């Protein structure tokens, strides 16, 4: 399966039990910031934003004082799991990023998608990739 298929069929799909409800954008990115696959609306991250995300995975809490920036948009870091998940919120939307052995899985959402639904979609795929050694 191609990386684009993972994005299209597992991240940008309808959320279980909610036809037509889906993430606003998603991507799978290597730890070095290289895009493996992305949805058409996924914002272009700046190199320093990728560095900040990587630093936060290695030093949990790094982004909390300044916020998580995605293509210049600031998200308040709300919760996460050290070296595994970063979650952010901005207005009625937010972001979930889960780290695997070789990649980072990104999901962005807007209402009516809930934070929990975004977490479920992103983390389910990331957990599968971890199980596959990726």
């Amino acid at each position: 399966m191609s990386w684009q298929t993972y994005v299209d069929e597992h991240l940008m799909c309808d959320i279980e039990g909610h036809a037509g409800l889906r993430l606003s954008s998603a991507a799978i990115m290597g730890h070095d910031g290289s895009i493996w696959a992305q949805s058409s609306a996924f914002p272009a991250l700046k190199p320093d934003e990728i560095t900040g995300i990587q630093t936060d995975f290695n030093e949990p809490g790094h982004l909390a004082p300044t916020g998580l920036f995605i293509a210049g948009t600031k998200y308040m870091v709300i919760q996460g799991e050290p070296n595994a998940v970063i979650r952010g919120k901005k207005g009625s939307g937010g972001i979930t990023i889960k780290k695997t052995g070789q990649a980072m899985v990104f999901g962005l959402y807007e209402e009516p998608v809930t934070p929990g639904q975004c977490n479920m979609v992103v983390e389910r795929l990331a957990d599968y990739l971890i199980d596959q050694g990726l």
Side-chain angles (χ1 to χ4, degrees), residues 15 21 23 78-79 85-97 107-123:
I15 293 172
L21 192 62
L23 300 179
I78 51 172
Q79 65 174 3
V85 180
I86 299 170
R87 297 183 184 106
K89 183 95 172 112
K90 177 177 176 28
S92 62
I95 184 168
T96 301
I97 310 165
L108 283 88
Y109 68 93
E110 291 293 335
E111 282 185 345
V113 174
T114 66
Q117 288 169 324
C118 180
N119 295 344
M120 179 188 67
V121 169
V122 170
E123 294 178 37

Side-chain angles (χ1 to χ4, degrees), residues 30-32 50-59 99 104:
H31 287 178
D32 62 358
I50 295 166
T51 301
I53 291 165
Q54 284 292 22
T55 302
D56 197 75
F57 277 126
N58 296 326
E59 301 169 23
K99 182 179 177 183
M104 297 178 287

